[in-house]
Amino acid sequence: MLDIALNALSDFGYSGLLLVTITFLVLTRVLKTDGQQKLNLPPGPGGLPWPINYLIGFMNIFQNTIIVIYNLSKKYGDVVFLNLLERKMVFLASPELVNEILVKQADVTTGREPDKELWSVLNYRGGVVFSEGADWVDHRRFGLNALRNFGMGKRSLESRINEEARMLKDVFSSKGGAPLDPHANFVTAISNIICAITFGHRFEYSDPVFQKFTQYLNDVVAEPPGVFKFMPSFLYNSRRTKLKALQEFIIDDVREHEKTFDPNDVRDIIDMYISQVRELEKTGQRSELSMEKAWSIVFDFFIAGTETTSTTMTWAILFMAGYPDIQKKVVAEIKREIGLDAAPSYEHQKAMPYTQAVLTEILRFRPIAPIGVPHRATADIKIKDYDIPKGTNIGMNILYIHHDPKLWGDPEVFRPERFLSKDGKSFVKHDAYMPFGAGRRKCLGEQLAKMESFLFFTNVMQRFKVSLPPGVKADYSFGHRVTTLLPKPYQVIFDER
């Protein structure tokens, strides 16, 4: 056998042997699909034969996924098909297609492929991010009600945010004008808002348990799963250890809530969940809510709620430092509508179109979740004239849509005025702006995130002039390499006004 292999190398050379191998693999794929219905799939590098699809899939693990997908849409157009590691994926890169497929056909495009790592390592069930079917419907309904009861529209929450912002400003002030990276501080402050509505209390910034929790929270979002995503659940690395620690932290608090639960005093979201589960048990009504799944929805609130707003604020401070003229206009509007001493209210936003346009342009230029979390087709569908089989994941190429020159004219220019009327007095929406996703799986906490961003942003701008250290230029390139966009680490100076 060895002699035959050596002779083959000698006769054909390495390039010839490679050609024979590729031909064999292609023929294998053709024979495998022979007799099956031929599908008219969208363009893209989708039909790679085994094992090349696996090799390319593993290679992409070590690349910036966001850039890879952005470039595919640039090359193939507004619908791209991939089939890597036997995972069929379609990415939509136009607002019209997003509306047609994820909004108008929502009945068959609201599925969600389970996250294999969370399911195997944490036994994740329930929640609103990685569930589908009845599990997703029941937990999403609960999540919306919970945010209405403890979130949006509540003066008490607005007061909590302003108080947390005051403490955050004191941290910045304590640095005495020395350069600092604000990202970790934003993660801590905004995690405390989620703590307030889920656990019923905040933590001191110096609390070592809370410090560890927020650090792990930031790490698991930032760290790529790598090849471990495909490894058995009993194999552990740093990321999986942190995921388990986060789960245990939340479960411990859920158990403490069960011990102290009073049906006449529902203190927070966990109490509300316990109340609904016990009521369902009494009535025997069918529901996917159960105490075994309680930690999952809290986990989702932290992962989604903390990352979006803290990263938005991290970008916001960088843009204000890099564009001092825009910062001056924001501060001028704050002085006119709020003043530098009064506490901001979310109602102020209606009279502050420029500040609203700045925050909108930040998420247009650098959408926090540039490819979102893909939906999954629960039936065979059509996209244009292309066949999309049941089970295909459908993602939005939000970064591409937000940087399409056909839609924006000058997408690589940071220009808040694109969201203002000609006279600059009114905020103007844009149909291609979709940083929070689309359809029924649109971000559950969108309104909470907007409220937090506005209040934290105006609080910080009221008190500080933000600038880059002497000789430093702003770097707006990407820092994260998983599915979110965070700036590369930077330092700014917070000078008291």
Side-chain angles (χ1 to χ4, degrees):
M1 183 65 70
L2 180 60
D3 290 340
I4 294 172
L6 290 173
N7 287 334
L9 276 176
S10 176
D11 291 341
F12 296 101
Y14 287 102
S15 58
L17 186 62
L18 179 62
L19 179 61
V20 170
T21 303
I22 291 174
T23 303
F24 171 76
L25 292 171
V26 170
L27 287 173
T28 301
R29 173 54 64 96
V30 170
L31 290 172
K32 183 178 177 182
T33 57
D34 187 40
Q36 295 180 3
Q37 180 184 6
K38 295 291 190 295
L39 297 177
N40 180 30
L41 297 171
L48 298 174
W50 181 92
I52 294 177
N53 61 334
Y54 276 82
L55 294 174
I56 298 297
F58 276 110
M59 284 171 61
N60 279 314
I61 289 170
F62 302 101
Q63 297 184 52
N64 188 318
T65 306
I66 296 160
I67 298 300
V68 170
I69 293 170
Y70 177 89
N71 287 332
L72 286 174
S73 291
K74 199 171 182 179
K75 179 177 181 180
Y76 292 104
D78 55 8
V79 52
V80 178
F81 177 76
L82 300 107
N83 184 10
L84 297 177
L85 303 175
E86 298 303 322
R87 189 182 188 218
K88 296 179 178 66
M89 299 199 69
V90 167
F91 283 95
L92 309 177
S94 79
E96 294 80 14
L97 276 180
V98 167
N99 184 63
E100 174 63 32
I101 304 304
L102 300 185
V103 178
K104 292 182 180 179
Q105 298 189 52
D107 286 345
V108 291
T109 59
T110 55
R112 174 66 44 82
E113 182 176 85
D115 184 287
K116 293 179 181 177
E117 188 175 47
L118 295 183
W119 277 59
S120 63
V121 176
L122 304 184
N123 193 33
Y124 174 101
R125 301 292 188 276
V128 291
V129 177
F130 297 107
S131 59
E132 66 177 3
D135 223 355
W136 172 71
V137 170
D138 289 350
H139 281 90
R140 181 175 175 82
R141 184 185 299 116
F142 170 83
L144 287 169
N145 289 333
L147 285 175
R148 290 191 192 103
N149 286 348
F150 296 100
M152 290 307 302
K154 299 295 182 181
R155 287 281 182 178
S156 57
L157 179 61
E158 189 173 274
S159 298
R160 281 183 184 270
I161 295 172
N162 279 327
E163 179 61 16
E164 200 66 47
R166 182 191 65 77
M167 295 180 188
L168 177 65
K169 290 185 291 185
D170 288 345
V171 171
F172 292 156
S173 182
S174 69
K175 302 300 180 181
L180 66 96
D181 183 341
H183 178 63
N185 299 115
F186 282 124
V187 171
T188 302
I190 291 158
S191 290
N192 249 338
I193 301 302
I194 306 298
C195 286
I197 64 176
T198 55
F199 298 151
H201 62 87
R202 67 178 300 279
F203 291 86
E204 293 298 325
Y205 292 168
S206 59
D207 187 319
V209 176
F210 184 57
Q211 287 181 344
K212 185 177 180 180
F213 177 77
T214 54
Q215 182 62 54
Y216 282 8
L217 193 66
N218 184 59
D219 288 348
V220 299
V221 174
E223 292 176 3
V227 295
F228 255 80
K229 184 168 186 174
F230 307 98
M231 298 296 181
S233 60
F234 61 82
L235 294 176
Y236 268 71
N237 62 352
S238 173
R239 173 184 166 81
R240 289 185 172 185
T241 300
K242 291 170 184 176
L243 281 170
K244 284 296 291 184
L246 289 173
Q247 180 190 40
E248 289 164 7
F249 181 90
I250 295 170
I251 287 175
D252 286 346
D253 211 289
V254 170
R255 287 171 179 163
E256 187 61 32
H257 272 69
E258 287 186 280
K259 292 177 185 176
T260 59
F261 177 72
D262 179 355
N264 298 313
D265 180 25
V266 177
R267 300 160 291 185
D268 47 49
I269 288 176
I270 294 178
D271 270 0
M272 182 177 170
Y273 195 93
I274 295 171
S275 177
Q276 289 203 16
V277 168
R278 293 189 179 182
E279 184 63 29
L280 289 165
E281 288 173 349
K282 284 182 183 178
T283 60
Q285 185 179 346
R286 186 217 65 81
S287 174
E288 292 297 328
L289 272 61
S290 69
M291 290 313 302
E292 289 75 20
K293 299 175 182 177
W295 76 270
S296 300
I297 193 164
V298 177
F299 178 83
D300 284 355
F301 271 114
F302 274 103
I303 292 294
T306 299
E307 171 71 5
T308 51
T309 311
S310 61
T311 303
T312 299
M313 288 305 304
T314 305
W315 279 113
I317 296 304
L318 178 61
F319 278 109
M320 290 303 94
Y323 291 88
D325 290 343
I326 292 177
Q327 183 179 170
K328 288 177 183 177
K329 292 178 183 179
V330 168
V331 174
E333 191 172 64
I334 290 173
K335 285 181 178 178
R336 184 174 66 249
E337 300 298 334
I338 306 173
L340 294 183
D341 298 316
S345 166
Y346 193 48
E347 282 293 310
H348 284 125
Q349 181 183 231
K350 297 176 182 177
M352 299 173 67
Y354 190 77
T355 301
Q356 190 177 358
V358 167
L359 289 171
T360 304
E361 176 70 346
I362 288 166
L363 290 181
R364 196 278 308 171
F365 198 81
R366 290 292 180 260
I368 305 309
I371 54 175
V373 183
H375 299 214
R376 179 160 68 166
T378 55
D380 294 344
I381 62 169
K382 286 272 192 180
I383 296 180
K384 292 186 171 181
D385 293 326
Y386 301 119
D387 300 314
I388 307 301
K390 176 182 178 180
T392 302
N393 293 282
I394 307 171
M396 300 168 57
N397 199 340
I398 299 171
L399 182 65
Y400 184 89
I401 293 170
H402 281 192
H403 285 261
D404 186 345
K406 297 191 298 293
L407 299 171
W408 303 96
D410 55 351
E412 300 308 319
V413 177
F414 184 77
R415 186 168 60 84
E417 288 76 13
R418 72 177 77 247
F419 291 103
L420 293 174
S421 58
K422 290 183 179 180
D423 61 8
K425 294 181 180 179
S426 303
F427 176 79
V428 178
K429 295 181 180 179
H430 196 297
D431 290 340
Y433 177 75
M434 47 187 65
F436 294 96
R440 295 176 190 169
R441 298 211 78 131
K442 192 175 184 181
C443 178
L444 189 72
E446 177 181 355
Q447 292 306 313
L448 175 61
K450 288 180 176 179
M451 180 181 181
E452 289 177 316
S453 296
F454 178 79
L455 293 177
F456 274 106
F457 184 65
T458 51
N459 264 287
V460 173
M461 289 295 100
Q462 272 183 321
R463 185 163 169 180
F464 300 104
K465 175 186 175 183
V466 183
S467 60
L468 294 164
V472 176
K473 291 185 177 181
D475 183 354
Y476 305 112
S477 57
F478 309 154
H480 273 202
R481 49 172 291 190
V482 192
T483 55
T484 56
L485 286 184
L486 181 71
K488 291 182 177 179
Y490 68 83
Q491 290 191 324
V492 292
I493 297 169
F494 290 89
D495 286 319
E496 302 267 359
R497 292 194 185 280

